[in-house]
Amino acid sequence: QVQLVESGGGLVQAGGSLRVSCAASGRTFSNYAMGWFRQAPGKEREFVAAISWRGVFISYAASAKGRFTISRDNAKNTVYLQMYSLGPDDTAVYYCGAIRNGNQYQQKDYEYWGQGTQVTVSA
């Protein structure tokens, strides 16, 4: 079992930046690749970024590439998503997930999820 707790969400003006964190506990965190997804009101949950268990392999959605940076600190059992140049379209609940096998772009393949943290970007 892995417990995931997101934090760091909040209200930010367009053009601003924000870092959200996901703290893990339970089974060995470093055994899992980690992903960030987001869900805006009335929309499906969508992939944002993912990072392999050692941080060697990283992938981003087109909407995140060049603006967001995913990273992890296995000593702290934490994964981060640093977001820059935020716009109203980035408003969503941001979720982190843990995956060992499967397609990191597909939420159905993730074994564990956090409860989410709200990010709101004002125009």
Side-chain angles (χ1 to χ4, degrees):
Q1 191 81 3
V2 174
Q3 292 80 41
L4 302 174
V5 179
E6 299 95 335
S7 61
L11 175 64
V12 62
Q13 288 187 331
S17 61
L18 198 65
R19 187 178 80 164
V20 291
S21 303
C22 173
S25 61
R27 288 180 178 262
T28 306
F29 173 71
S30 60
N31 287 347
Y32 292 84
M34 299 296 295
W36 284 99
F37 283 69
R38 68 185 183 184
Q39 188 166 17
K43 295 187 177 181
E44 294 186 354
R45 192 176 299 191
E46 65 177 5
F47 172 80
V48 176
I51 186 168
S52 62
W53 67 279
R54 284 202 301 179
V56 174
F57 299 104
I58 290 175
S59 58
Y60 296 98
S63 60
K65 198 169 294 185
R67 298 190 303 127
F68 295 2
T69 301
I70 187 171
S71 62
R72 67 187 296 162
D73 185 339
N74 287 344
K76 296 182 178 180
N77 288 353
T78 302
V79 62
Y80 306 96
L81 185 68
Q82 177 69 56
M83 302 180 286
Y84 300 98
S85 301
L86 287 163
D89 287 348
D90 296 312
T91 295
V93 178
Y94 284 71
Y95 299 90
C96 68
I99 180 172
R100 279 190 297 183
N101 299 300
N103 187 334
Q104 64 187 6
Y105 299 97
Q106 299 286 339
Q107 59 172 318
K108 66 179 180 62
D109 289 342
Y110 283 73
E111 294 182 43
Y112 303 103
W113 290 97
Q115 84 291 344
T117 186
Q118 175 72 48
V119 173
T120 303
V121 184
S122 62

